[in-house]
Amino acid sequence: MLGFGKKKDKNNCCCGNIDAETIKEAQAGGSAVKVLGMGCSNCKILADNAVKALERLGMEPAVEKITDMAQIAAYGVMSTPALVIGGKVVSAGKVLSTEEIVKLMQKQGAQPK
């Protein structure tokens, strides 16, 4: 039997155990700007663009890269790369330009210095 008809544990997904604690851990602490993805070239470009956006705004150019699939899934992201600003997913599945990231950060309250 292939498992059809079996009840799935609601806290289990293809990426591992996802529960409220995992979600809280994924979204808490660390950098205010995060790039979610497995480290492909698009993820690296998005991270570089995020660093440039932070520098343009006169902010600390700290971008956290999240590659753990359980943490990525905890954000509800199904398509990478994804950009998280202030704990919220603001983009998923595309590479944003530096200017697009600056605009998103300004919406979140960041002002150029």
Side-chain angles (χ1 to χ4, degrees):
M1 179 121 180
L2 295 174
F4 296 111
K6 280 187 173 182
K7 268 191 169 179
K8 272 186 128 179
D9 181 358
K10 289 182 182 179
N11 294 328
N12 240 349
C13 77
C14 63
C15 305
N17 290 328
I18 304 298
D19 56 16
E21 189 62 32
T22 303
I23 293 170
K24 286 178 189 175
E25 286 175 13
Q27 295 174 346
S31 177
V33 178
K34 300 176 184 182
V35 172
L36 312 178
M38 298 307 297
C40 67
S41 61
N42 285 339
C43 297
K44 291 175 185 176
I45 292 168
L46 181 61
D48 289 343
N49 289 348
V51 167
K52 290 174 189 172
L54 288 165
E55 288 172 343
R56 189 175 295 176
L57 291 166
M59 301 171 73
E60 180 69 31
V63 175
E64 186 177 352
K65 297 172 188 165
I66 306 293
T67 59
D68 180 68
M69 282 305 296
Q71 287 185 327
I72 293 169
Y75 280 96
V77 170
M78 301 301 285
S79 182
T80 60
L83 182 67
V84 175
I85 299 174
K88 293 183 181 181
V89 177
V90 295
S91 173
K94 69 182 218 173
V95 178
L96 299 174
S97 70
T98 300
E99 190 57 39
E100 289 172 312
I101 297 170
V102 167
K103 288 178 184 177
L104 286 170
M105 295 183 85
Q106 288 173 330
K107 276 187 178 180
Q108 298 289 324
Q111 295 299 319
K113 291 185 179 178

